[in-house]
Amino acid sequence: MNKSYRKNKKTVGLSLRKLVMLLEGSCHCGAVRFSVQSQQPYPYMRCYCSICRKTAGGGGYAINLSGDHRTLKVEGEDYLTVYHARIQNPEDAAPFVSQGERRFCRQCGSCLWVYDPNYPDLMHPFASAIDTELPTPPEHTHILLDFAASWVEIPKLPNDRYFDRYPDESIADWHERLELTTD
């Protein structure tokens, strides 16, 4: 199936069933540059949790992409630092420390990606750190709305999906449902 997306006001045809994008990203100061291949490059999921909002979400949310960790290449690794978030769910008596490794530039503080050792083939770059032009998603998924800040205006669009906690489909499943996947 062929789809197309808008790029610089002209339509570029893509066979999205064959799409594997090379995502190139960097921090603000340029000390860290990275690249990773992605079979799910659409920036569609908006996470409103306090961790994403406070570490990467100036608009009250952050957008994570999906990348193949085995293809990750990094320049400036000495400038990386890792943060393990403390998670406090309202229903849990005590917080716990996430195994997820949030990577930041130690020089400028840019949030770059999340890696979870429980899923060793995956990593999730933040869309805000990606320099490559990304395709426009046909719809958005809004997650962890139970944790959205009161000042955040959440758009109500007819095709968008909304979840108080986690969505009912993975990043890969979302791309598959909309026929935006690779073979």
Side-chain angles (χ1 to χ4, degrees):
M1 169 180 265
N2 283 337
K3 299 265 183 178
S4 61
Y5 76 95
R6 290 253 172 226
K7 180 178 179 184
N8 296 330
K9 298 185 181 177
K10 68 180 184 179
T11 301
V12 178
L14 292 177
S15 173
L16 292 177
R17 291 218 167 264
K18 304 291 185 205
L19 179 67
V20 176
M21 279 186 77
L22 179 65
L23 302 177
E24 295 178 312
S26 62
C27 65
H28 184 260
C29 73
V32 179
R33 296 189 185 287
F34 66 95
S35 66
V36 65
Q37 291 180 5
S38 176
Q39 295 180 340
Q40 293 96 21
Y42 280 76
Y44 78 97
M45 189 181 312
R46 297 177 177 185
C47 181
Y48 294 86
C49 80
S50 64
I51 301 163
C52 285
R53 181 177 73 248
K54 290 183 178 229
T55 62
Y61 60 88
I63 301 173
N64 293 357
L65 304 171
S66 181
D68 182 342
H69 189 258
R70 298 166 296 188
T71 67
L72 178 64
K73 295 181 178 141
V74 179
E75 295 175 26
E77 283 191 58
D78 291 345
Y79 292 98
L80 288 175
T81 191
V82 175
Y83 172 65
H84 292 272
R86 288 174 41 101
I87 298 173
Q88 175 66 62
N89 290 316
E91 63 275 7
D92 295 337
F96 65 93
V97 176
S98 170
Q99 291 184 332
E101 301 172 358
R102 293 172 181 273
R103 304 293 170 119
F104 295 83
C105 172
R106 72 173 62 247
Q107 187 163 306
C108 68
S110 295
C111 186
L112 302 170
W113 69 82
V114 178
Y115 170 76
D116 188 330
N118 293 307
Y119 306 96
D121 293 344
L122 297 175
M123 56 90 68
H124 299 285
F126 287 93
S128 57
I130 299 300
D131 301 318
T132 305
E133 186 167 336
L134 296 171
T136 302
E139 65 182 46
H140 293 96
T141 297
H142 305 263
I143 68 168
L144 294 165
L145 294 171
D146 278 351
F147 304 98
S150 60
W151 56 265
V152 175
E153 295 180 22
I154 300 166
K156 299 291 183 198
L157 300 171
N159 292 330
D160 283 10
R161 302 177 78 208
Y162 301 87
F163 297 91
D164 292 336
R165 296 288 178 102
Y166 293 100
D168 60 3
E169 62 188 352
S170 68
I171 292 175
D173 291 341
W174 181 90
H175 281 77
E176 181 68 32
R177 177 173 57 84
L178 295 172
E179 299 182 1
L180 304 173
T181 62
T182 62
D183 289 336

